[in-house]
Amino acid sequence: MDRCIVLVDAGYLLGAAASLLAGEPSRSRITVDHAALIQGLRDRAESDTQQPLLRIYWFDGAPDRVPQPEHRRLRVMPRVTVRLGALTRSDGRWAQKGVDAAMHAELTELARNRACSDVVLVTGDGDLLPGMMAAKEHGVAVHLWAVQAADGDYNQSEDLVAEADERRVLDRAWITRAVQAKERVCAPPPAPRPEIAAILSAPLPEGALAAAERPAEERTHPAAAATGGVEERVPAAAKGVPTPKDLAALRAPGAHPDKPQPATATLRWSSDKGWVDRPGTAAEPPEVAAMPTLAQLTTAEQRWADREEDITTVGGDPYEVGQVFARRWLARLGEPGQGHVQRLSGMYPRVPHRIDGELLRYAARFGLLAHKDDQIDEHDRYAIRAGFWREIDVRTGAERHPSGAGE
């Protein structure tokens, strides 16, 4: 077949680009315009091989092989196929597993079935040498592309270079059409949090205050009697810092610092796994609790259309996910729901618990769960909520100062 195929080792391409532009191989140090990068690969491949492109295979690693936002963006692009290996952490460093084997299998299978006349390999790993030799034996021309190395370092296997039919170097000018280094920004000191200061300055119930001020030597572990009267020292708690239980007692109906009463109210705690009721603090006002969730506003037909859009259009960036969720919620509220929108805008930066929990569960669909602990990373949570508030502000015309949206 007179056509070309491109096989990209994303770890090599983006790691080498990061070394070239940012001075270190960490992909977190660069920003990538994936649409421009794919178009650049296609144009360069068709120009070098003089053959039309059949497909670009993008090989990369991901925790538990769960597609990350960049993989979701790539796999819906025309003529792009994403193949994922595992991403594991060892000795404090991330390493791909299974990517080289997948590239080798794809290369040999394409050559054996004569699916193309030319193969472009963007990699530096010598483990692909047997696959390259097998492809040549099946009559396929092999083009090897390298990324310009930083500071003259060599970043490709010499055996691969020697075996390739053609070799090209993607220089800095070509790379920077789609890849840019992130600027290092010194973060300012965190702004004071008045709500935390208010909690810390709250008076303690009389019993708790007396216990906190009692000298450590006067306090013993309850099990001291069982140890023959030998007292076990217990470190004193930080003086004056109330516990959640203390604050719950203070905020109970009719409570007084000197006479705390049992708390009967309920707070709904939200997370990406849902929300649970915990006694001890005040519940949300009825008008806030009455705000409809997106699920309540969505018909079966809309649910299908949402899923189609999620798969084919939404890339999965945390900020974008928050925007999409808010846009759908606002559109389905319609004009009768303007009171809810105005009320919500006045609650900034706190998202009502039921809506916040639904927002985080929606975000979990896009592979935003941190590896192993099934929780969304705190930084991503702020980005998700920031995107949500951005859409609310567009509707209400509110001006916000940049800050994280908290629970």
Side-chain angles (χ1 to χ4, degrees):
M1 286 287 187
D2 292 334
R3 52 194 182 186
C4 67
I5 290 176
V6 181
L7 276 64
V8 180
D9 179 349
Y12 166 77
L13 173 59
L14 300 182
S19 294
L20 177 64
L21 302 181
E24 56 184 274
S26 173
R27 289 161 61 170
S28 64
R29 295 283 292 113
I30 56 175
T31 58
V32 183
D33 182 341
H34 290 90
L37 181 58
I38 291 299
Q39 188 60 49
L41 290 170
R42 178 172 187 167
D43 293 343
R44 183 69 177 263
E46 291 181 336
S47 174
D48 280 10
T49 65
Q50 297 298 305
Q51 303 293 346
L53 177 76
L54 171 62
R55 189 174 300 115
I56 294 175
Y57 288 89
W58 185 272
F59 295 87
D60 203 0
D64 295 329
R65 292 186 168 85
V66 176
Q68 300 301 294
E70 65 180 278
H71 304 138
R72 296 179 63 87
R73 287 192 290 270
L74 285 162
R75 67 184 184 180
V76 298
M77 293 181 184
R79 296 186 181 263
V80 176
T81 296
V82 175
R83 297 279 190 260
L84 294 179
L87 191 63
T88 60
R89 194 172 182 84
S90 177
D91 297 328
R93 300 183 63 182
W94 290 101
Q96 295 181 159
K97 299 294 183 182
V99 172
D100 296 336
M103 287 189 70
H104 179 276
E106 199 73 56
L107 175 60
T108 54
E109 191 68 14
L110 291 169
R112 183 181 299 111
N113 292 325
R114 301 188 182 277
C116 58
S117 59
D118 296 76
V119 167
V120 175
L121 292 177
V122 187
T123 185
D125 198 329
D127 290 345
L128 279 177
L129 181 62
M132 177 186 286
M133 297 173 64
K136 291 174 63 176
E137 291 173 359
H138 285 92
V140 174
V142 180
H143 304 251
L144 181 65
W145 290 359
V147 176
Q148 179 182 339
D151 300 326
D153 292 338
Y154 211 72
N155 58 16
Q156 277 188 313
S157 162
E158 294 186 20
D159 292 334
L160 280 183
V161 174
E163 192 68 29
D165 294 307
E166 301 283 349
R167 185 171 183 266
R168 295 286 183 272
V169 175
L170 305 177
D171 59 17
R172 181 185 293 267
W174 190 93
I175 292 293
T176 52
R177 295 174 190 171
V179 182
Q180 299 293 328
K182 292 180 181 177
E183 294 184 4
R184 289 190 180 273
V185 179
C186 295
R193 298 286 298 276
E195 65 276 17
I196 294 179
I199 290 175
L200 294 178
S201 63
L204 279 172
E206 186 179 71
L209 183 59
E213 292 178 343
R214 206 177 333 166
E217 59 270 14
E218 295 181 9
R219 282 175 282 146
T220 61
H221 195 278
T227 60
V230 178
E231 296 183 351
E232 183 178 344
R233 303 296 182 187
V234 180
K239 180 178 178 180
V241 179
T243 67
K245 183 178 180 181
D246 297 333
L247 295 176
L250 285 172
R251 284 155 177 73
H256 185 276
D258 297 329
K259 297 180 180 180
Q261 301 295 326
T264 58
T266 297
L267 172 66
R268 288 179 171 179
W269 299 70
S270 66
S271 72
D272 48 298
K273 292 184 175 181
W275 47 267
V276 294
D277 291 342
R278 293 185 182 178
T281 53
E284 290 181 326
E287 63 272 16
V288 175
M291 286 186 183
T293 63
L294 180 60
Q296 292 171 332
L297 298 169
T298 303
T299 66
E301 291 79 7
Q302 288 172 327
R303 190 175 299 110
W304 180 89
D306 289 348
R307 194 62 173 165
E308 179 74 8
E309 182 183 13
D310 290 344
I311 294 172
T312 60
T313 306
V314 181
D317 175 78
Y319 188 86
E320 177 193 16
V321 167
Q323 287 183 299
V324 171
F325 182 93
R327 194 178 304 130
R328 291 173 183 170
W329 187 73
L330 291 169
R332 290 164 198 174
L333 274 176
E335 290 302 321
Q338 290 307 298
H340 290 310
V341 177
Q342 294 299 329
R343 191 174 298 111
L344 177 65
S345 182
M347 297 175 63
Y348 178 87
R350 177 178 165 272
V351 182
H353 297 296
R354 293 168 67 239
I355 296 175
D356 189 54
E358 187 182 36
L359 169 62
L360 296 178
R361 290 194 299 277
Y362 171 68
R365 298 181 187 176
F366 295 90
L368 295 177
L369 294 177
H371 190 39
K372 293 183 180 179
D373 59 4
D374 288 337
Q375 293 289 327
I376 296 179
D377 177 77
E378 183 179 10
H379 181 272
D380 287 344
R381 287 174 183 255
Y382 280 112
I384 292 164
R385 291 169 179 141
F388 176 88
W389 281 115
R390 175 58 183 163
E391 288 301 311
I392 301 298
D393 293 348
V394 169
R395 172 66 68 91
T396 61
E399 292 292 334
R400 311 282 190 198
H401 295 291
S403 64
E407 292 182 16

